[in-house]
Amino acid sequence: MIVLVINAGSSSVKFTCFEMISDPKVLANGLIERIGLDGTLMKYSNHKGDEAKREVTVKNAEEGVKIIAQKLVDSKIGVLKSLTEVKAIGHRVVSGGEYFSDPVVVDARVKEFIDKCSVYAPLHNPHHLLGINACEATFPGVTNVAVFDTAFHIAGIQPHAYLYAIPYELYTEQKIRRYGAHGTSHDYVSRKAAELLGKPRQNVRAIVCHLGNGASISAVAGGKCQDTSMGLTPLEGVIMGTRSGDIDPAIVWTVMKLKNLSPVEADNFFNKKSGMLALAGIGSSDLRDIEAEHKKGNKQCTQALETYAYRIKKYIGSYLAALGGADIVAFTAGIGENSATMRALILKGLDDLGIKLDAAKNSERSGEARFISTNNSPIKIAVIPTDEEQEIAKQTLALAIVK
Ligand code: ADP
């Protein structure tokens, strides 16, 4: 049984082709990047170790999906005999608004709702729709499933955690509220955290720190999300690679006035030119570069790392209060899985709250889910590699089978 996972963005289409055995196996993955620009690049690799990387001419997502399909059945590096082997296609969709608290089989009505939700994710949802349309054209008759980044949060978070203190009709009429993002990852990692603890998910309170270029923290109890740091859009919350995270909203109009920015330019400023890129001041938002500069003695980078860690520490503290305690703090995504330095900085000084890091375990390198807390730590700490693609594939297959 083959399931394809597609993540269609503004200038790229990423894909993973899974064989859905009990532990889904990646047969091939890759992406087409810089779509519609000069130097459009296709990168493809398969489970046998074959790789292909070449410039292609791709004007839009539909052409991108066609090229991916050709590669999958390519006589040399393909992994399928025929495209009819594809049972279903799962699409990552950033926003499902309040409409979707679960994945859903795509039909014309679902597409209308995804389109409506473009107001919350203008940089993403329109491109997801192009990806879905492209797959419908390239894989006729195959079930397409939309898996929403917001669904896990929508299903769990209650009004006291999702309402903003602005006129209520902005919620009732315009649905301005907190939606969160990275839901598939928070769902997956909190489930794995319960497995690691050897407890039923129902009895577990977890604080999940998804720290990648985009970053969000969630408080999960009984398998339901209780709160999450991202808001109406992914701009709210902790400091990210290029996003400011939480700031006084007055900064927005102050900067707009000072720099003479339009709303679109301001959106770009706080989403693309802020965060660690701005704080560290070395022209890179990549934590590896900032850590390297810090080690060389760059004080601004040291300060950026400390500021980043401090904000996350405050979220952990507030979610401990929101959950009335926790069983586990889990780290995931690029930074959460790989930066022992950052994990240590975030958790420094939390011993008295019952969160005790084991320095040696924290420094061990492993791609496996594992504890990094001391044996006597009342609240366990874990590193749990996320796998959003695999989770989307599983949820997609579950729906395609019952369809
Ligand atoms: P996204 O999926 O949001 O684009 P990722 O989850 O891939 O992001 O995370 C990217 C981030 O992870 C980058 O900031 C990168 O610097 C960081 N990262 C990856 N490996 C390491 C590492 N070994 N040490 C520190 N940071 C790392």
Side-chain angles (χ1 to χ4, degrees), residues 75-128:
S75 58
K76 290 201 188 92
I77 59 172
V79 290
L80 306 177
K81 289 201 180 69
S82 150
L83 292 183
T84 57
E85 285 177 56
V86 177
K87 170 79 183 164
I89 304 170
H91 297 265
R92 173 187 179 227
V93 178
V94 164
S95 179
E98 278 195 335
Y99 302 111
F100 301 104
S101 52
D102 285 302
V104 64
V105 172
V106 176
D107 59 16
R109 217 172 119 70
V110 168
K111 285 204 260 182
E112 263 174 43
F113 283 119
I114 294 176
D115 189 32
K116 275 189 188 171
C117 293
S118 292
V119 290
Y120 313 121
L123 303 177
H124 296 95
N125 272 28
H127 300 285
H128 301 326

Side-chain angles (χ1 to χ4, degrees), residues 146-168:
V147 179
F148 300 94
D149 260 13
T150 42
F152 181 59
H153 305 309
I154 292 302
I157 300 179
Q158 296 301 304
H160 65 267
Y162 71 62
L163 285 176
Y164 289 111
I166 53 176
Y168 194 57

Side-chain angles (χ1 to χ4, degrees), residues 210-214 285-288 291 333-335 338-339 365:
H210 176 113
L211 309 178
N213 278 321
S285 61
D286 192 308
L287 202 81
R288 285 167 290 203
E291 285 184 355
I335 296 168
N338 296 302
S339 177
R365 294 208 141 267

